[in-house]
């Protein structure tokens, strides 16, 4: 079994910063891509940022220059540093990862349970 556990969400004022973490645990042989998505009330889930196993990144246009995704492969953890937060960044943030549980299996997608980020004064 594989689990993704997020942490770091909370309430922050506009212009503030938060860092989200997501740790993968369980039967893990290797982790391919990892990423962060978010879902605001009444809206579809959208990709925020993604990072490959080699460290290549891509971002949604709305967060470029403000958010930074990174990963620590030794800890099976992905991070999302969010600066200059705006009210429109308010959402539940989910991490996801493509994980191989053995060298004989293809990667499977896993999701965390989500962490609430609220940007408000």
């Amino acid at each position: 079994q594989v689990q993704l556990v997020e942490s770091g969400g909370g309430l922050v004022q506009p212009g503030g910063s938060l860092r989200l973490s997501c740790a993968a645990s369980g039967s893990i042989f290797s982790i391919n891509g990892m990423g962060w998505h978010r879902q605001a009330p009444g809206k579809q889930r959208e990709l925020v940022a993604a990072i490959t196993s080699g460290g290549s990144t891509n971002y949604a246009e709305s967060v470029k220059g403000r958010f930074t995704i990174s990963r620590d492969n030794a800890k099976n953890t992905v991070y999302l540093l969010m600066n200059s937060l705006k009210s429109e960044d308010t959402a539940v943030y989910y991490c996801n990862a493509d994980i191989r549980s053995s060298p004989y299996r293809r990667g499977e997608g896993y999701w965390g349970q989500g962490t609430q980020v609220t940007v408000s004064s």
Side-chain angles (χ1 to χ4, degrees), residues 15-95:
S17 299
L18 280 176
R19 190 178 83 150
L20 306 182
S21 301
C22 173
S25 63
S27 180
I28 298 172
F29 170 71
S30 65
I31 302 178
N32 301 318
M34 305 182 81
W36 290 92
H37 290 67
R38 67 186 180 188
Q39 187 166 20
K43 294 188 176 181
Q44 289 189 332
R45 190 174 296 190
E46 62 174 357
L47 173 68
V48 176
I51 185 167
T52 67
S53 57
S56 296
T57 59
N58 71 287
Y59 297 91
E61 285 296 325
S62 60
V63 307
K64 278 183 179 178
R66 300 187 298 122
F67 290 11
T68 302
I69 188 171
S70 61
R71 63 191 283 174
D72 184 333
N73 291 328
K75 295 181 179 179
N76 292 332
T77 299
V78 63
Y79 305 96
L80 185 68
L81 176 61
M82 305 183 292
N83 294 322
S84 303
L85 282 160
K86 306 175 181 180
S87 58
E88 51 263 44
D89 295 317
T90 295
V92 178
Y93 283 71
Y94 299 90
C95 73

